[in-house]
Amino acid sequence: MTETTGTAIQTADLYDERGEELQSVVLQFLDLGGHTAFSGPIRTIRCHEDNGLVKSVLNSPGAGSVLVVDGGGSLNTALMGDLIASAAVENGWAGVVINGPVRDRAVLATLPLGIKALGSNPRKSAKDSVGEVDVPVEFSGVVFRPGPMLYADLDGILVER
């Protein structure tokens, strides 16, 4: 049985209640973490086939935030694996949404962390920390800005405008 973090908020009910106040992510992410429902204020990273910033940010206090990583949709290298995800748990992150792949799926599924990603690839990424942190990122027609709330469950992802 999968678990949720915090108060379980059903995205369908939330959308019915708030409608166009929320952006709906149409991209079909896989649920890969131990929690399939999670929510929190957004933090962001834009990077390409380099997870140095992902590691750095998830090794800092998360305070229940959700990290949105725009990897440009590239499936060439994983942007998070078991060690970085374990650090996210230890540092109090609620979840991670990655527009790219992860690795170590079997371990990720056991962690008390929400993880949505495009898929998996065992190939490591670069570790040069090239990219940007806490800037607006956009994919799937949705703009993710640092600060607003993100809500995720098995039905999908909603983001405050």
Side-chain angles (χ1 to χ4, degrees), residues 2 56 75 94-95 108 116 121 126 130 133 153 158:
T2 58
S56 174
L75 297 174
L108 298 184
K116 288 187 178 278
N121 185 335
V130 174
V133 177
D153 64 11
L158 295 175

Side-chain angles (χ1 to χ4, degrees), residues 27-102:
L27 189 58
Q28 300 297 295
F29 285 92
L30 298 176
D31 286 288
L32 300 169
H35 290 174
T36 57
F38 57 97
S39 62
I42 296 170
R43 298 272 317 269
T44 65
I45 292 176
R46 179 183 296 118
C47 59
H48 183 74
E49 298 177 12
D50 183 324
N51 74 353
L53 291 175
V54 176
K55 179 179 181 180
S56 174
V57 170
L58 291 177
N59 271 288
S60 68
S65 294
V66 175
L67 181 63
V68 176
V69 180
D70 183 7
S74 171
L75 297 174
N76 290 329
T77 63
L79 293 176
M80 185 177 75
D82 60 346
L83 298 177
I84 295 173
S86 294
V89 171
E90 291 170 20
N91 286 293
W93 290 84
V96 183
V97 175
I98 300 177
N99 184 22
V102 296

